[in-house]
Amino acid sequence: MNILITGATSGIGRQLVLDYSKSGHRVYACGRSPDKLEALKKDCGEAEEYVQLLQFDVTDREAVRTTLGSLEQVDLVILNAGVCEYVNELSDFESELFERVFAANYFGVVNCVDALLPKLGAGSRLAIVDSMARLMPFTRAEAYASSKAAVHYLGNSLKVDLAPHGIAVTTISPGFVETPMTDANDFEMPMKITVADASKAIQKGLAKGKAQIYFPRVFGWILRFIHKLPLRLQIAISRRMKNAQ
Ligand SMILES: NC(=O)c1ccc[n+]([C@@H]2O[C@H](COP(=O)([O-])OP(=O)(O)OC[C@H]3O[C@@H](n4cnc5c(N)ncnc54)[C@H](OP(=O)(O)O)[C@@H]3O)[C@@H](O)[C@H]2O)c1
């Protein structure tokens, strides 16, 4: 398969590049840092020949169009690049923070979909990484989780509109995964898993053609149960968690 992965220079995306290239797939590894991209290619070892590096910032619409516009058909796209910024204090509530988060997590995905739709033929699959954070109203997550809720909706809407063209869409909702992103968190992260396990869960779900992927599984069950509770209960649970921090 020809597989394109954004956010390939760190965490989940990096592990996916290592794993898919070792399995003999041709991987377009996308990142914004040339040094990190070169380091990734070296880390692929003998599978290096299967990896093609593409350097662009997902927030730069023209760069995304120019770089991705030159590709041949792609069988699987995993839009994984993302950032996390919390509204730590109410005094941090500034629209610039929301713009930064949405620029990467929402418009970054939109920019890639815009450029890649002509490259996706019947039988191909588009996967979009959101987050289980979208499932309940967490403290400090006003910007991050709303960007993930928005991109999840985008993915579901695309499921409707791309199906007649034979293009499948998968939304991927991770729980906590040990990466540089979560290394920056200052709170307890229940059921945190390794990037190796996250990559396995994603590869397995995509190979099965799943429309939605949640991992770790038990954390997914718990959060989806909470998501179905009346909002006042969700808020009460979230306030208790905030007070316990
Ligand atoms: N880790 C978790 O617990 C967790 C949970 C739920 C969802 N997720 C989601 O999973 C995805 C991967 O997260 P991760 O934990 O692997 O994070 P990570 O280690 O911080 O990796 C994020 C990747 O996205 C890239 N990126 C960020 N902004 C970009 C931009 N403007 N243009 C191009 N690339 C950009 C980063 O590039 P640089 O290396 O140049 O910074 C990096 O390669 C994210 O969408 C995240 O929200 C993660």
Side-chain angles (χ1 to χ4, degrees):
M1 271 197 299
N2 280 349
I3 305 175
L4 184 140
I5 301 168
T6 67
T9 50
S10 177
I12 298 169
R14 182 178 174 282
Q15 189 64 42
L16 286 168
V17 173
L18 295 175
D19 292 346
Y20 275 124
S21 62
K22 281 195 178 114
S23 307
H25 296 288
R26 181 182 172 79
V27 180
Y28 296 109
C30 308
R32 59 183 165 175
S33 155
D35 292 347
K36 287 188 191 175
L37 281 170
E38 286 302 334
L40 164 69
K41 195 159 183 176
K42 263 196 199 134
D43 291 344
C44 289
E46 285 178 6
E48 180 184 346
E49 61 176 304
Y50 298 116
V51 179
Q52 187 176 326
L53 305 177
L54 297 175
Q55 193 249 318
F56 59 89
D57 187 315
V58 295
T59 67
D60 182 342
R61 185 194 296 135
E62 288 315 315
V64 174
R65 278 192 184 146
T66 308
T67 314
L68 299 183
S70 62
L71 298 182
E72 302 291 313
Q73 274 217 334
V74 188
D75 306 303
L76 171 62
V77 168
I78 306 177
L79 300 179
N80 157 81
V83 296
C84 181
E85 284 192 61
Y86 292 116
V87 180
N88 289 319
E89 303 292 338
L90 283 183
S91 56
D92 293 340
F93 194 103
E94 49 178 30
S95 63
E96 290 89 339
L97 184 155
F98 284 73
E99 268 181 31
R100 284 194 298 276
V101 172
F102 269 76
N105 294 359
Y106 183 76
F107 287 104
V109 171
V110 171
N111 289 339
C112 293
V113 173
D114 166 332
L116 286 167
L117 273 184
K119 314 290 171 190
L120 293 168
S124 63
R125 180 172 297 274
L126 169 66
I128 297 176
V129 178
D130 55 74
S131 166
M132 282 193 214
R134 67 180 171 76
L135 289 169
M136 65 180 280
F138 286 108
T139 175
R140 302 192 287 161
E142 287 85 353
Y144 178 70
S146 56
S147 73
K148 292 300 189 179
V151 88
H152 182 77
Y153 189 97
L154 170 71
N156 282 341
S157 212
L158 284 169
K159 284 173 193 172
V160 177
D161 288 325
L162 297 186
H165 302 274
I167 304 168
V169 179
T170 300
T171 49
I172 301 174
S173 304
F176 292 114
V177 183
E178 207 176 322
T179 69
M181 183 180 280
T182 48
D183 287 348
N185 288 347
D186 58 359
F187 52 85
E188 216 182 299
M189 289 171 274
M191 299 185 199
K192 188 164 69 170
I193 61 169
T194 63
V195 274
D197 286 340
S199 171
K200 268 188 214 143
I202 292 172
Q203 291 174 71
K204 195 172 161 195
L206 291 175
K208 283 185 173 169
K210 287 198 168 180
Q212 303 184 68
I213 298 173
Y214 291 88
F215 59 84
R217 206 189 305 179
V218 174
F219 197 56
W221 289 337
I222 295 169
L223 277 188
R224 277 179 288 170
F225 173 74
I226 294 173
H227 181 66
K228 291 195 187 314
L229 294 175
L231 184 59
R232 67 188 160 75
L233 289 179
Q234 293 184 41
I235 290 171
I237 293 167
S238 202
R239 286 186 71 179
R240 279 185 83 118
M241 287 166 63
K242 178 182 162 123
N243 293 336
Q245 274 180 17

